[in-house]
Amino acid sequence: MKHIFCDVLVIGSGAAGLRAAISAKQKGLNVCVISKQAPGKSTCTTLSAGVFAAAEENKSADNHLKRTLQAGRGINQKELVKVLVQEGPMRLRELKKWGINAEFHRGYLFCKGRAPYRGREIIQCLLTKNKLLGTRFISGQLVADLKPLDGTLGVLAYSTKADKWMAINAKSVILATGGAGALYLRHDNPKRMLGDGYVLALKAGAVLQDLEFVQFYPLGLAEPGLPAFLVPPNIADAGRLYNSRGENILKIYKIFERPAAERARDKLSQALFIEIYKKKREVFLDLTEVSKLKWHENPFSATTLPILGERYGAIHRPVRVAPMAHHTMGGVCIDTDATTSVPGLFAAGEVTGGLHGANRMGGNALTETLVFGARAGEAAAIWAKDNNSGPKTEVFKEAEIEKLTSVKQTARSNSAELMANLNKIIWREAGIVRNKRGLEFALNSVNKISREILQSRIGNPLDVQRRIETLLGAQAASLIIKAAIKRKESRGSHFREDFIEQDDDSWQGHIQVKLSRNGEANWNFQAIS
């Protein structure tokens, strides 16, 4: 097994990881970025709308602050929100200085890339800066474990292509692995976005919180054979949304906010889920009367016209739509310097929890990657410089690999089948509409899947990768479900049929989890004072 040593290791090559690497490298340290695929490829940044929210030049950030807190339903960590709105404009100007192909429009920065990969402009900009600085990239590696030892942190990773294991020791580590949207049957995330970082952080000793809050975007294309393409809120609002009986969805469910897909994501997602999966009705969005002027109202919707409107036919006929998992608000607890509860471990981006609260304002996800990516890189570099001991010992031994690749019994299922079952179960029982019975069924099912994963077939390197990712995904799903069971109210993206009201007296705060010394999960509720 190959061993590598560095000062700062970044896990993940989306915008948060790349921005963190820049800050750390600017401090003159040996910085490595490790990722599942080529740097920036198959990240949420690449597949994003490429829209950053921030206060406009020379204007107050009060409105940005207010809207972020409103979306969070009273449980945002306000200190994180203040940092976001104060530093967001500076980070966007920085991107412009570095040459990103984007333009400011009504308080947002819009990338000019082509749909559905508008975020490539962000990746390209940050990659170019990293390469100029000399950041080292190690791609094609699946991180299977992370643990502290003797004042350093170690990472165990597997390469499917080489069929080899690698161990990396670092003075400090930055988690930027993204969220867990691909755990769900319908989503618009990269297919390997499975919550790995939550499990890695928890096992390393970090505190997680707000895992029950998963944001679903209500209007994703649901035509057979076509991808779950996101319909821009302003375009959707200009169309007509109705079910297979011809009934107006917004009127039936008394959704008055506009644009509904932006200002009422929770309620509209719940309405569509009930219509489609409980009442067994199809839902259609008719955009045939939407003018080209409306499509070109902003750079985001303008880039979707050639794909959604023309290629997928939305300007010619009504199209089927359905909700899809879009973003996860929960994750690793951090402070304003992106520091976790584990010495030397930092985190930034969607893998963290606390900033967005119970739901996320549109445009804040990408701004978050820059603001807290920069802070994580700076803090990790300072920690590494002060860590005089340096990585001296090899954290992982060959015996630990055997735990991840051994087959205890005759295999009954393979990992791909188990992941497909996992996707279906949590979509129906632990997704948009939840209740105690469904959540408990989902938890029992996911726990069974976890046990079966360890009996799954391993015949080639791809089987090893699938087993590790499926196991991490099942463990992440279990954490989401347990948190959802514990929160006995409805708030933001978390909707319980058996507790339909928001209960500030009992539940205005964070459900947190941390492992005990013997590896048991300790859950607690941290009220907001």
Side-chain angles (χ1 to χ4, degrees):
M1 180 167 58
K2 184 178 181 180
H3 286 80
I4 293 176
F5 301 90
C6 64
D7 295 320
V8 178
L9 175 66
V10 181
I11 306 176
S13 64
L18 294 177
R19 186 59 189 83
I22 291 169
S23 286
K25 191 62 182 176
Q26 285 175 331
K27 300 293 184 182
L29 299 180
N30 177 8
V31 179
C32 292
V33 177
I34 186 171
S35 57
K36 290 182 179 181
Q37 298 194 50
K41 187 177 180 182
S42 294
T43 64
C44 284
T45 302
T46 301
L47 293 179
S48 71
V51 182
F52 298 84
E56 294 185 63
E57 191 78 29
N58 301 319
K59 290 191 177 181
S60 171
D62 290 347
N63 185 52
H64 188 191
L65 177 69
K66 180 181 178 181
R67 290 178 60 200
T68 300
L69 295 177
Q70 285 176 338
R73 303 297 199 279
I75 62 166
N76 312 73
Q77 283 183 235
K78 290 184 179 179
E79 68 277 13
L80 300 181
V81 178
K82 290 177 181 177
V83 169
L84 178 82
V85 301
Q86 289 168 359
E87 296 186 7
M90 173 182 66
R91 294 303 172 202
L92 299 192
R93 290 195 300 271
E94 188 176 61
L95 271 190
K96 288 290 288 181
K97 181 181 177 181
W98 292 345
I100 191 170
N101 184 20
E103 64 178 288
F104 286 101
H105 180 78
R106 296 182 181 177
Y108 293 86
L109 181 67
F110 290 86
C111 291
K112 293 184 179 180
R114 297 174 61 186
Y117 304 110
R118 286 170 293 265
R120 280 179 176 169
E121 296 294 330
I122 305 166
I123 295 296
Q124 188 57 50
C125 176
L126 296 174
L127 268 178
T128 299
K129 184 67 175 178
N130 268 288
K131 289 176 180 178
L132 287 172
L133 293 169
T135 302
R136 180 181 181 183
F137 289 93
I138 306 172
S139 58
Q141 300 287 334
L142 169 61
V143 175
D145 202 359
L146 164 68
K147 67 179 181 181
L149 179 69
D150 298 334
T152 67
L153 288 150
V155 163
L156 181 65
Y158 176 72
S159 168
T160 304
K161 185 176 181 180
D163 189 20
K164 291 183 179 179
W165 290 86
M166 174 187 295
I168 306 174
N169 281 50
K171 296 180 180 180
S172 61
V173 169
I174 302 169
L175 268 179
T177 52
L183 287 175
Y184 290 86
L185 181 65
R186 277 185 56 82
H187 65 88
D188 65 345
N189 284 209
K191 64 181 181 179
R192 297 175 70 187
M193 196 62 60
L194 301 168
D196 307 14
Y198 304 155
V199 181
L200 295 172
L202 184 67
K203 290 182 176 180
V207 177
L208 308 183
Q209 70 178 18
D210 299 341
L211 292 166
E212 65 272 32
F213 297 112
V214 179
Q215 183 183 69
F216 296 86
Y217 188 81
L219 300 175
L221 192 64
E223 287 290 330
L226 295 179
F229 196 92
L230 186 151
V231 182
N234 66 313
I235 296 302
D237 210 49
R240 188 169 70 92
L241 187 66
Y242 61 94
N243 63 20
S244 50
R245 296 171 59 174
E247 298 169 324
N248 186 303
I249 297 295
L250 300 182
K251 287 184 178 179
I252 295 173
Y253 292 91
K254 299 180 181 180
I255 298 172
F256 306 111
E257 298 91 335
R258 297 293 185 272
E262 173 59 35
R263 300 295 177 90
R265 286 186 180 182
D266 308 333
K267 290 191 290 185
L268 188 53
S269 292
Q270 293 154 19
L272 267 61
F273 186 88
I274 291 169
E275 286 290 314
I276 298 168
Y277 296 98
K278 291 186 176 291
K279 296 183 177 180
K280 307 299 181 182
R281 300 169 184 163
E282 292 183 312
V283 176
F284 295 88
L285 180 63
D286 187 349
L287 303 175
T288 57
E289 299 299 319
V290 178
S291 68
K292 283 195 174 182
L293 183 64
K294 185 67 177 180
W295 280 93
H296 286 89
E297 185 176 63
N298 65 55
F300 171 31
S301 58
T303 63
T304 66
L305 177 57
I307 307 296
L308 175 63
E310 297 170 2
R311 183 185 302 177
Y312 298 156
I315 61 174
H316 303 297
R317 67 183 188 281
V319 293
R320 294 172 182 84
V321 291
M324 55 189 182
H326 185 56
H327 187 88
T328 45
M329 279 72 70
V332 186
C333 293
I334 60 170
D335 64 14
T336 54
D337 289 324
T339 304
T340 74
S341 55
V342 179
L345 180 63
F346 305 82
E350 197 175 348
V351 75
T352 66
L355 169 65
H356 304 294
N359 213 339
R360 176 186 64 86
M361 174 189 139
N364 272 349
L366 286 177
T367 306
E368 174 190 16
T369 63
L370 299 182
V371 170
F372 290 97
R375 282 182 163 245
E378 291 170 6
I382 292 171
W383 179 275
K385 282 188 174 183
D386 291 341
N387 187 352
N388 296 322
S389 61
K392 297 176 181 178
T393 58
E394 297 177 354
V395 178
F396 295 98
K397 307 300 181 183
E398 296 287 346
E400 298 186 61
I401 297 174
E402 179 66 20
K403 299 177 185 178
L404 297 168
T405 57
S406 63
V407 178
K408 297 180 180 179
Q409 300 177 26
T410 302
R412 294 176 295 178
S413 304
N414 63 41
S415 296
E417 292 172 348
L418 293 172
M419 177 57 75
N421 290 337
L422 176 65
N423 297 153
K424 295 175 184 177
I425 290 165
I426 68 166
W427 172 254
R428 292 301 296 264
E429 308 296 348
I432 298 169
V433 177
R434 301 166 172 176
N435 58 57
K436 181 181 179 182
R437 182 179 178 181
L439 289 167
E440 289 180 345
F441 172 81
L443 183 60
N444 290 332
S445 301
V446 169
N447 288 340
K448 181 181 178 182
I449 287 172
S450 291
R451 293 191 295 270
E452 290 185 17
I453 290 167
L454 297 176
Q455 301 171 1
S456 60
R457 290 189 292 268
I458 296 181
N460 56 56
L462 184 58
D463 291 336
V464 177
Q465 172 195 301
R466 284 176 173 169
R467 173 194 269 206
I468 295 169
E469 284 191 314
T470 307
L471 183 59
L472 289 170
Q475 291 169 339
S478 175
L479 291 169
I480 291 170
I481 295 166
K482 288 177 181 177
I485 291 173
K486 292 180 182 298
R487 184 171 289 276
K488 297 179 175 64
E489 66 155 356
S490 291
R491 183 186 297 267
S493 64
H494 172 68
F495 178 71
R496 289 278 300 258
E497 289 180 306
D498 43 356
F499 298 97
I500 63 172
E501 300 297 330
Q502 181 172 307
D503 182 1
D504 286 343
D505 291 337
S506 302
W507 294 104
Q508 189 168 12
H510 309 284
I511 293 175
Q512 300 181 333
V513 61
K514 183 179 181 179
L515 294 186
S516 64
R517 289 185 177 180
N518 61 2
E520 293 182 357
N522 288 335
W523 293 85
N524 72 87
F525 179 72
Q526 186 69 38
I528 293 177
S529 55

